[in-house]
Amino acid sequence: MASVTIRNLPDDVKQDLRERAARNGRSLEDEARRALIALVRPERAEPRKGMFELLVEASRPGLDLPEVADSPASFATFDE
């Protein structure tokens, strides 16, 4: 496998990539590798996550979700 050095990468881009890597549980290097592969060869990129996978990730401990007040369900009525 080949190695690549990227010079003059803006600090904010590196920080965004670092944050993205942390969200995905990957190293900065692995996240950069996957991003480059997805850009150059989109047919080989990992499939996008579906709604179920996103909800599962959102429900992990440590994520603060807003409280929803309990209220009785209401149902539509159709008068004839």
Side-chain angles (χ1 to χ4, degrees):
M1 292 244 171
S3 295
V4 174
T5 300
I6 301 174
R7 300 187 198 291
N8 301 319
L9 185 67
D11 291 336
D12 60 332
V13 172
K14 183 178 178 183
Q15 183 60 34
D16 290 348
L17 190 60
R18 184 183 309 276
E19 291 171 8
R20 180 174 149 176
R23 282 193 308 271
N24 292 323
R26 299 182 184 128
S27 67
L28 177 64
E29 180 181 347
D30 190 31
E31 193 67 29
R33 181 183 309 109
R34 290 169 185 252
L36 284 170
I37 291 169
L39 178 67
V40 176
R41 295 189 176 155
E43 69 280 357
R44 291 189 186 180
E46 294 177 12
R48 296 190 76 159
K49 294 179 183 175
M51 183 59 72
F52 179 76
E53 288 88 0
L54 293 172
L55 288 171
V56 168
E57 286 180 4
S59 66
R60 290 187 179 149
L63 181 67
D64 295 327
L65 297 175
E67 293 287 327
V68 177
D70 290 334
S71 62
S74 59
F75 298 96
T77 58
F78 300 96
D79 297 325
E80 290 184 24

